[in-house]
Amino acid sequence: MGTISTEDMSISSNSNSNTTQTSGLTAPQKTLIKAWWKKVIATVKVDNKLSLSADKTVFGLPLLHSIQYAHTTISYRDEITNTPCMAVIPTIIAKCGSYLKEKGLQIEGIFRLSGNSKRIGHLQSLFDTSDTQYGVYLNWDNYNIHDVANVMRRFLNYLPEPVIPLNYYQLFKATMETEFVSADVKTQAFQSLIDKMPLAHQFLLLYLLDLLSIFTLTSHLTRMDISCLASVFAPGILSHPDDALNPSSYKQSQPVLEFLIKHQHKFRMPSSGIPFVKSECMLRPPLQVHTIQHPLSTLTPSSLPYTGNDTFNNSIHPLCSNTAAPSPPSLFATKSTPVLSSPSAPPYPFQDTMFPTTTLSSTAPSPSSSSSTDIRRKKTLTGKTSASMSTSTSTSTSTSMSTPSFYLPNTNSDPRVAWLERSTRTSILRRERQQPNQKSSVPRWKSIRTVSTMERDGLNTPIFTQ
Amino acid sequence: MSSYNYIIKYIIVGDSGVGKSCLLIQFTDKRFNAGRELTIGVEFGTRFISVDDKQIKLQIWDTAGQESFRSITQSYYRGAAGALLVYDISRRESFEHISTWLADVRRHANPHTTIVLVGNKSDLDESKRQVTSEEAERFAKENGIALFLETSAKSASNVEEVFVKTAENVYEKIKSGEFTSNETSGIRLGPVQKSSLSEETQGGACC
């Protein structure tokens, strides 16, 4: 995993938010956005019908439950196919994560020091309710960085099932203790475990590992080295209620997490977004929450409100017509690596929220090697354009756009190739600034920028032009 | 020194990063290491001191300040004869949270536990101070906290005093019979003069 990120805030559950602010847009553009938003709402209605009747809070509920209504889409880039893909993580994580990456990298004792308990409690209540759209437009003005770090960790600590689900707890620890010929082989072993986790847990884990690995780069400033970060996050990521009162169990979890952070660039996100299509993967082995049905899991692909242009989609991805893809290496062969049955099958509804007129250049930027990942990340640190600025200042409903992930599962035979890329708005903007000469990539980046980003940047140029 | 009259159990609590472990290490090992790893769950230190010619072994449980470890650390409160509530004078939040820590200690520890308020990092420049000693002193008085001291684990200022004065207070309670030697009180008798002291304390308890 190279780098993730982005904070394209899209709220699927809140139909009040359909007042997309489209100032600066032409009438046809407004129409297009409205049409597109209707599709989002259509998805939402299905969501609401099928979701549980329980209180829609976030704290203390299973991730697979709360992710249904309090999520944010993030985008990442498949480095093999070089196609943007989408993932969902809890809104609170996206919101806090982006702010922390922006403001927290130089703060001594970040994640360790406590904020103000009253303010943390207040933040918790804001993130815990649909009234605020789960805090997506929260303004950080009255909070300090430690409040933010605390509320994010509290969310993780309150998860009934940690980020690494309980039935993987022993497997992760055993994998850590097992001797492998090299760290790379060990990484593969961990990857094969991660691949089997429920999709929402995979996304969250990989997002957090990415976040933490960024923080390891400034540990000389924060005085939070990798082992400190690992021990702070161990209770929320890798813990078990059976061991909850046993300090030594946390000390065993710490090196596991440390390893995962250290090698996070080698881990990959779920294969090319394909699991989105086979949505039962979203609910793969949930231990305690197996009774909870993801609303989308009951949908057949044909029942999804998909109206996308297949021909158009096919034309985007050179690989999408390649039905005879090689099998993944055995280590990665999870029990049900989904293969898209038909190239025209609809994508996950969130991807269905693609801008109708978004046109992508099919020329892909040159593939990145894993070594360039670090360089990119360093760039991130210097890049001051921040996604979180958008999340705190944006007042419009920002919605993510992405190309549907319409190709076969990742057939990466070399797991060391970091195949994710920081394709956030942050990095998108950064790339445009730093590499203005890479003309081939510019239309691509532009195409996945969001409405609100455009507005915020004061760009009056029509969104849909190339 | 293997002969002692009493074992007294202490706990050190307070927000993460206020210097609890540094205080303990300064007291037990007489060294200071700022770049210390954070405490997971609880850690443990011992030192012998002498109070009123009695050898006392202090058994000190240093707890993690992290919220996520609260359930672990609370299980160690039970049977503490002394509790050090530590805050960082340069971080107002850590002082504001003392009332929560105090409530926790009162709930889980022995009602007779000697509670001491400790403002750590007194070596820092005055410009960084966010809690005045007057305010802390007032808080201690209002909340029935027996002792308040400002310390510096870095310069070792007042560190010895905090632990010793707490022990003196506990010893007074033993003598007055407020504490008896059993597991829940956090006092145990040492191997030396076990029988005679036992009689002495038991006698005190009856009065």
Side-chain angles (χ1 to χ4, degrees):
Chain A
M1 185 170 69
T3 45
I4 313 177
S5 88
T6 205
E7 334 297 306
D8 283 332
M9 299 293 176
S10 86
I11 299 298
S12 70
S13 69
N14 202 318
S15 51
N16 298 330
S17 58
N18 61 354
T19 52
T20 312
Q21 289 182 11
T22 51
S23 55
L25 300 178
T26 63
Q29 285 168 352
K30 281 183 185 172
T31 315
L32 283 167
I33 290 169
K34 274 184 186 167
W36 166 80
W37 187 249
K38 268 186 185 168
K39 275 193 271 174
V40 178
I41 303 302
T43 311
V44 170
K45 281 175 185 160
V46 175
D47 251 282
N48 287 341
K49 231 181 276 173
L50 293 168
S51 54
L52 303 173
S53 56
D55 282 351
K56 286 187 170 181
T57 57
V58 171
F59 280 78
L61 288 183
L63 177 64
L64 293 172
H65 184 162
S66 63
I67 196 79
Q68 294 171 29
Y69 45 82
H71 62 249
T72 287
T73 55
I74 59 170
S75 59
Y76 59 94
R77 189 166 288 270
D78 185 327
E79 282 200 1
I80 304 305
T81 59
N82 225 315
T83 316
C85 301
M86 300 188 68
V88 286
I89 56 170
T91 304
I92 180 174
I93 297 291
K95 183 84 180 170
C96 295
S98 71
Y99 186 71
L100 288 162
K101 279 187 269 189
E102 184 199 355
K103 303 274 190 188
L105 285 166
Q106 299 181 14
I107 304 293
E108 189 178 316
I110 188 73
F111 296 120
R112 177 178 185 171
L113 298 183
S114 64
N116 178 294
S117 57
K118 273 182 197 159
R119 290 198 304 262
I120 298 165
H122 194 233
L123 275 179
Q124 178 181 341
S125 64
L126 290 175
F127 279 116
D128 210 19
T129 170
S130 58
D131 297 347
T132 62
Q133 300 167 40
Y134 301 99
V136 71
Y137 304 121
L138 192 75
N139 186 318
W140 294 119
D141 285 353
N142 298 320
Y143 304 97
N144 75 23
I145 192 83
H146 298 295
D147 301 335
V148 181
N150 274 209
V151 80
M152 186 177 103
R153 286 206 300 121
R154 183 180 288 183
F155 169 78
L156 297 174
N157 293 334
Y158 281 18
L159 286 175
E161 188 142 17
V163 179
I164 292 175
L166 296 174
N167 47 348
Y168 291 87
Y169 174 73
Q170 289 301 345
L171 292 170
F172 270 78
K173 286 197 166 180
T175 306
M176 190 66 207
E177 283 159 17
T178 310
E179 286 199 10
F180 289 88
V181 289
S182 70
D184 284 340
V185 180
K186 192 173 237 179
T187 311
Q188 289 174 29
F190 277 120
Q191 178 75 59
S192 66
L193 287 176
I194 294 172
D195 285 344
K196 291 175 191 155
M197 281 165 38
L199 205 50
H201 285 263
Q202 289 188 44
F203 289 144
L204 181 54
L205 175 65
L206 294 170
Y207 180 87
L208 290 171
L209 292 180
D210 176 73
L211 176 84
L212 293 175
S213 75
I214 293 170
F215 275 89
T216 60
L217 300 175
T218 54
S219 52
H220 58 289
L221 298 169
T222 61
R223 293 173 78 180
M224 291 292 288
D225 59 19
I226 190 165
S227 67
C228 275
L229 289 168
S231 53
V232 162
F233 277 87
I237 294 180
L238 185 61
S239 63
H240 198 290
D242 291 351
D243 285 347
L245 293 178
N246 177 11
S248 66
S249 74
Y250 294 98
K251 285 173 188 159
Q252 289 161 11
S253 295
Q254 182 191 350
V256 182
L257 201 49
E258 218 175 300
F259 183 91
L260 296 179
I261 298 168
K262 201 172 169 184
H263 298 273
Q264 72 84 25
H265 58 281
K266 298 175 190 167
F267 293 112
R268 55 191 169 80
M269 288 286 262
S271 301
S272 305
I274 289 294
F276 272 143
V277 180
K278 295 258 181 169
S279 51
E280 76 273 12
C281 299
M282 195 91 175
L283 293 177
R284 241 175 333 178
L287 186 71
Q288 295 184 329
V289 292
H290 59 279
T291 54
I292 295 172
Q293 284 287 305
H294 190 283
L296 301 172
S297 66
T298 55
L299 296 176
T300 59
S302 59
S303 70
L304 292 172
Y306 177 70
T307 56
N309 182 334
D310 291 341
T311 313
F312 160 71
N313 287 326
N314 282 336
S315 69
I316 300 170
H317 308 296
L319 284 181
C320 67
S321 58
N322 178 10
T323 52
S327 306
S330 58
L331 256 177
F332 294 158
T334 59
K335 66 175 182 181
S336 61
T337 305
V339 176
L340 195 57
S341 53
S342 155
S344 64
Y348 187 70
F350 299 116
Q351 294 172 343
D352 182 45
T353 62
M354 182 188 75
F355 243 82
T357 53
T358 303
T359 314
L360 294 179
S361 158
S362 59
T363 50
S366 58
S368 312
S369 68
S370 57
S371 61
S372 67
T373 308
D374 292 331
I375 297 165
R376 275 201 303 274
R377 187 171 307 129
K378 276 164 194 158
K379 279 182 192 167
T380 309
L381 295 178
T382 54
K384 282 293 175 187
T385 330
S386 136
S388 52
M389 265 172 61
S390 71
T391 59
S392 56
T393 58
S394 166
T395 53
S396 64
T397 302
S398 124
T399 42
S400 53
M401 286 163 278
S402 167
T403 54
S405 307
F406 250 50
Y407 36 82
L408 289 160
N410 173 24
T411 53
N412 180 9
S413 59
D414 182 3
R416 285 170 300 179
V417 176
W419 69 297
L420 278 178
E421 173 168 5
R422 184 170 303 275
S423 59
T424 63
R425 289 190 295 211
T426 314
S427 59
I428 292 162
L429 295 171
R430 190 183 66 240
R431 279 191 166 233
E432 283 180 359
R433 280 182 199 158
Q434 293 186 346
Q435 304 170 346
N437 297 330
Q438 291 192 355
K439 284 181 182 169
S440 65
S441 64
V442 170
R444 286 183 70 91
W445 304 129
K446 268 191 181 173
S447 67
I448 54 172
R449 293 175 67 186
T450 68
V451 179
S452 66
T453 314
M454 302 288 285
E455 286 168 0
R456 194 186 57 252
D457 294 347
L459 300 178
N460 294 321
T461 49
I463 290 177
F464 310 119
T465 54
Q466 295 301 297
Chain B
M1 194 189 301
S2 60
S3 60
Y4 50 88
N5 303 112
Y6 293 102
I7 302 176
I8 296 180
K9 175 180 168 180
Y10 280 9
I11 49 167
I12 311 180
V13 299
D15 272 11
S16 187
V18 296
K20 298 180 293 297
S21 302
C22 287
L23 276 174
L24 173 64
I25 287 166
Q26 180 60 259
F27 179 65
T28 56
D29 296 11
K30 303 209 184 306
R31 63 187 167 86
F32 176 74
N33 177 12
R36 218 187 150 276
E37 277 196 13
L38 46 76
T39 309
I40 297 175
V42 289
E43 278 165 20
F44 176 72
T46 55
R47 209 187 111 178
F48 292 94
I49 58 166
S50 152
V51 174
D52 200 15
D53 291 335
K54 295 280 189 293
Q55 286 302 319
I56 292 177
K57 181 182 181 180
L58 294 182
Q59 186 188 77
I60 306 158
W61 295 90
D62 168 32
T63 65
Q66 299 288 325
E67 177 182 84
S68 44
F69 293 120
R70 201 68 64 89
S71 54
I72 297 183
T73 55
Q74 281 176 352
S75 61
Y76 287 84
Y77 290 9
R78 227 164 72 88
L84 272 55
L85 306 186
V86 189
Y87 68 92
D88 173 353
I89 63 156
S90 67
R91 279 183 57 78
R92 177 123 204 118
E93 281 94 353
S94 66
F95 177 70
E96 284 166 358
H97 295 159
I98 285 290
S99 51
T100 316
W101 292 109
L102 179 63
D104 270 9
V105 169
R106 293 229 158 108
R107 193 180 314 128
H108 297 282
N110 187 298
H112 301 295
T113 301
T114 294
I115 298 173
V116 182
L117 183 62
V118 181
N120 195 31
K121 309 197 185 177
S122 64
D123 58 284
L124 288 177
D125 191 84
E126 274 301 305
S127 63
K128 290 189 176 169
R129 179 187 281 273
Q130 292 183 1
V131 184
T132 64
S133 52
E134 292 77 24
E135 187 182 1
E137 192 134 30
R138 196 165 57 242
F139 177 88
K141 225 171 249 171
E142 286 167 359
N143 290 278
I145 295 175
L147 275 167
F148 162 67
L149 277 174
E150 285 196 350
T151 61
S152 165
K154 193 174 185 178
S155 71
S157 152
N158 268 348
V159 174
E160 191 85 8
E161 285 81 349
V162 161
F163 288 93
V164 172
K165 281 189 176 176
T166 309
E168 286 169 356
N169 187 293
V170 172
Y171 185 68
E172 287 299 314
K173 289 180 181 172
I174 295 172
K175 280 204 297 188
S176 72
E178 206 172 316
F179 269 138
T180 53
S181 61
N182 59 46
E183 282 300 321
T184 52
S185 71
I187 318 281
R188 274 189 290 151
L189 293 175
V192 176
Q193 302 169 338
K194 192 164 188 170
S195 52
S196 63
L197 275 167
S198 179
E199 283 161 21
E200 187 184 313
T201 51
Q202 292 304 320
C206 294
C207 299

